Amino acid sequence: MHTDSPPDLAMVERASAGLSLKMPRVPHRGRLGDSRSASVGSSMELHDFRTYHPGDDLRHVDWNAVARTGELVIRVRQDEVSPRVEVVLDATASMAVSAEKSARAKEVALWVCELARHGGCEPVLLVAGKEVQRVPGPQTRVALAGVRAEGREPFDVTLGRLPPFQTCGLRVVVSDFLVEAVPGPLAERFARHAAGCVLVQVLDVEDVDPGGGAGARLVDAESGDVLERILTPGVVEAYRERFTAHVLGWQAAARRVSASWVQVHATEPLTALARRELALLVEAA
């Protein structure tokens, strides 16, 4: 059953009031602003060296280091920047198996964008669904109110149609991560070029413990294919075992790329999740 629902904007306002996003305490890059960074800038204060990345200003190449090592090395100086925050939202059909799951995923994505703006950061929303979108911070609220979780391709396939991820201070991915793809390569992709990465798994009750009564069947939310003929106790138990192994695989993949893994349940209101499971994203007062 596909049941899409918009985010509760009033709930997001209450959950984000007075809070700002906790950013990694490591170098990041962004636009000119108020936050201190360790990106390549025009300040005369030398901070560090690093290898050249495509797009870097060649005027900051340390040619003495190039002569010594044979590699392009950049002099990193401190400047004042507003770090970029990327929020990736899974808008495939599996995110709308219930109204609660659909709404909660969008609320989490918008909540992160709001916290970023409260902290003077530059949020960008990337929506991976039937239509892919790249939405700058000021437009995220309107965009999320209109997002429909109806993509029929798996999340990992849809990601291939997104604009390339940019170098950022923090990347937050909101999904159920219930894809057949091996977690490792996807986790590496999410963490690449990000100073910090948080993977937020949003789950419905049926994702964790499928039921539905006599004669119910497991169905792929994206393709509509029947996965199991009848939900007998043996089928349900086998599903639970596969589900547990799948989540453990994602948790291990997140650890390998130094990403944080958070699991939230769609039946919980955002205000409660912000105080508990999602508290790691909040800057301490």
Side-chain angles (χ1 to χ4, degrees):
M1 183 177 179
H2 186 273
T3 311
D4 211 337
S5 182
D8 184 334
L9 300 181
M11 176 75 72
V12 175
E13 288 186 358
R14 290 196 297 274
S16 62
L19 304 177
S20 61
L21 191 63
K22 184 177 182 179
M23 297 295 294
R25 303 304 184 192
V26 295
H28 48 253
R29 303 182 68 186
R31 62 176 174 80
L32 292 177
D34 299 324
S35 301
R36 198 68 167 171
S37 173
S39 63
V40 178
S42 58
S43 168
M44 294 304 293
E45 182 182 353
L46 182 64
H47 180 72
D48 206 346
F49 296 90
R50 64 166 172 78
T51 55
Y52 171 83
H53 298 310
D56 285 337
D57 191 336
L58 289 173
R59 291 175 298 178
H60 296 291
V61 171
D62 188 317
W63 296 108
N64 291 328
V66 173
R68 291 194 307 270
T69 66
E71 297 182 355
L72 283 176
V73 176
I74 294 290
R75 294 187 300 271
V76 180
R77 301 182 186 280
Q78 288 200 349
D79 59 353
E80 300 296 326
V81 305
S82 177
R84 182 185 296 109
V85 173
E86 284 191 344
V87 180
V88 183
L89 175 64
D90 180 352
T92 59
S94 71
M95 299 302 292
V97 296
S98 72
E100 292 82 8
K101 182 177 180 180
S102 173
R104 208 66 67 245
K106 296 169 191 175
E107 289 166 7
V108 170
L110 181 56
W111 179 75
V112 175
C113 290
E114 292 294 297
L115 294 192
R117 295 182 67 186
H118 291 175
C121 299
E122 177 189 12
V124 173
L125 173 69
L126 296 169
V127 181
K130 183 177 180 180
E131 297 181 358
V132 297
Q133 300 181 59
R134 186 180 189 278
V135 185
Q139 301 172 27
T140 52
R141 179 173 292 217
V142 173
L144 279 167
V147 165
R148 296 282 296 173
E150 54 188 10
R152 292 296 174 181
E153 295 176 315
F155 184 41
D156 55 309
V157 174
T158 306
L159 286 170
R161 297 192 285 110
L162 277 179
F165 293 155
Q166 303 294 312
T167 301
C168 63
L170 180 66
R171 183 173 297 121
V172 179
V173 184
V174 183
S175 172
D176 58 12
F177 297 99
L178 299 180
V179 295
E180 294 293 331
V182 177
L186 275 179
E188 290 175 4
R189 180 177 179 183
F190 291 138
R192 192 175 302 133
H193 304 310
C197 182
V198 180
L199 308 180
V200 182
Q201 185 181 40
V202 181
L203 296 174
D204 183 69
V205 173
E206 290 291 315
D207 293 327
V208 181
D209 192 14
R217 290 168 167 82
L218 283 176
V219 177
D220 187 300
E222 267 100 42
S223 67
D225 294 340
V226 176
L227 305 180
E228 306 283 359
R229 289 197 58 81
I230 300 293
L231 283 182
T232 63
V235 167
V236 172
E237 183 59 32
Y239 172 87
R240 288 172 181 159
E241 291 177 0
R242 293 198 301 271
F243 174 82
T244 299
H246 184 77
V247 172
L248 290 174
W250 266 104
Q251 291 174 335
R255 286 194 298 271
R256 284 195 293 271
V257 297
S258 299
S260 297
W261 173 267
V262 183
Q263 187 180 91
V264 302
H265 293 274
T267 54
E268 294 286 334
L270 180 63
T271 47
L273 296 174
R275 293 192 301 269
R276 300 194 312 264
E277 290 86 349
L278 297 175
L280 81 166
L281 285 162
V282 178
E283 183 65 70

